[in-house]
Amino acid sequence: MENAAEPEPRRVVVMTAGRLNPIIVIQHLAKAGMDVHVLLENPEGKGEITRRRARRLGWITALGQLGTMIAARLLRRLADRRVEALLAEHDLDRTLPDTVPIHPVTSINAPETKVLVEQLKPGAILLVSTRLMSARQLAAMPCPVINLHAGINPNYRGQMGGYWSLRENDPQNFGATLHLVDAGTDTGGTLYEVRTKPASSDFISTYPLLLTLAALDITRQSIDDALNGRLAPIKPQGPSALRFPPTLWSWIWCGLTRRIW
């Protein structure tokens, strides 16, 4: 009789709030023969995010960041041609594979999520575009929890790491990191890094997709390592900075004066 606590071979749970980037990661893992299950959480509302940032950074900055987030979403239509070209180049599309089960949850930190994980018995958990996992929930997870981060840690933790590397004259660190999740924000041990170069047609609405595509192979490798007990995290080196979206006015200023959009 099978041990109820034994993880399923090649099973990975992807936790996400949805959208294109997680979809292409899930497609890639499924094509690699992994048994992928998706825990789909309700995304955080912009009001909730803005209030949290306001407590930390002040209302003026938080509202300015909200303006950039709204602008980036509105500009996604301008990015459609570039997005379609990137997806075609990697033989990917915008739909989840029919073979991948989807389990809706209110939040990755909800009690129902813990119960589902216990039932699914994954050998690895991957976070892609979710809220932060609480320390309590993390401690309850029965297997390694890995995050795909669109930035090079530790200097580009948080959000829009690719954009900030360009803005800070550090294009050689335009890249993504796969790391273990700990109680901090993108502070866990690094598993793999990858760097790439944006095209002239890329901007703040396409950088995350570009970095996700660049990181597909190291994402699969990280999960494969976890499933086979080969994880070898290293402590990220260098200056550490937690990034947020730029304020709308600073994003426009930088775009007009330095052509970094």
Side-chain angles (χ1 to χ4, degrees):
M1 184 175 179
E2 184 182 1
N3 185 339
E6 184 178 346
E8 293 288 339
R10 306 288 290 172
R11 177 168 292 175
V12 54
V13 163
V14 177
M15 298 186 182
T16 179
R19 294 195 174 277
L20 178 59
N21 292 351
I23 287 174
I24 63 176
V25 172
I26 293 162
Q27 286 184 49
H28 185 74
L29 296 179
K31 286 181 179 180
M34 296 181 183
D35 179 16
V36 184
H37 285 247
V38 176
L39 267 61
L40 183 64
E41 72 167 0
N42 295 329
E44 284 189 284
K46 285 187 171 56
E48 180 182 352
I49 295 171
T50 301
R51 284 191 294 272
R52 185 173 65 246
R53 289 181 182 157
R55 289 192 293 269
R56 180 176 188 141
L57 305 169
W59 275 105
I60 293 176
T61 298
L63 290 172
Q65 292 169 349
L66 174 62
T68 302
M69 292 169 64
I70 293 172
R73 179 162 295 185
L74 292 174
L75 290 172
R76 282 178 183 165
R77 288 189 177 181
L78 296 179
D80 276 351
R81 182 176 296 181
R82 173 64 170 158
V83 169
E84 292 304 323
L86 287 168
L87 292 177
E89 180 183 337
H90 290 82
D91 192 26
L92 296 164
D93 58 43
R94 296 174 181 264
T95 58
L96 279 172
D98 294 336
T99 56
V100 174
I102 301 173
H103 309 271
V105 294
T106 55
S107 164
I108 66 169
N109 295 316
E112 70 214 58
T113 298
K114 178 177 178 291
V115 171
L116 269 171
V117 170
E118 290 172 349
Q119 293 171 350
L120 293 171
K121 298 182 294 213
I125 294 170
L126 177 66
L127 307 186
V128 188
S129 302
T130 67
R131 68 192 74 206
L132 293 177
M133 180 174 280
S134 69
R136 181 177 182 179
Q137 189 80 317
L138 179 63
M141 294 298 101
C143 60
V145 181
I146 296 169
N147 183 49
L148 167 55
H149 172 59
I152 297 294
N153 291 337
N155 198 20
Y156 300 104
R157 299 185 295 112
Q159 292 185 287
M160 299 190 178
Y163 170 83
W164 283 109
S165 70
L166 300 177
R167 181 158 164 169
E168 297 200 352
N169 297 313
D170 189 22
Q172 64 271 24
N173 281 316
F174 182 89
T177 305
L178 269 294
H179 66 90
L180 291 178
V181 175
D182 64 9
T185 303
D186 302 322
T187 54
T190 294
L191 302 173
Y192 295 99
E193 296 174 344
V194 66
R195 290 161 175 81
T196 188
K197 184 178 180 181
S200 59
S201 56
D202 287 309
F203 64 109
I204 203 167
S205 295
T206 64
Y207 294 152
L209 173 61
L210 190 65
L211 293 175
T212 300
L213 289 168
L216 287 177
D217 286 343
I218 63 171
T219 301
R220 176 187 48 76
Q221 186 63 60
S222 297
I223 298 302
D224 195 61
D225 288 350
L227 294 174
N228 290 284
R230 296 195 304 258
L231 289 174
I234 61 172
K235 184 177 180 179
Q237 300 296 313
S240 179
L242 181 60
R243 309 289 177 163
F244 299 91
T247 58
L248 181 61
W249 46 88
S250 71
W251 174 62
I252 293 173
W253 173 85
C254 195
L256 293 174
T257 60
R258 298 177 55 198
R259 312 304 299 171
I260 298 174
W261 291 101

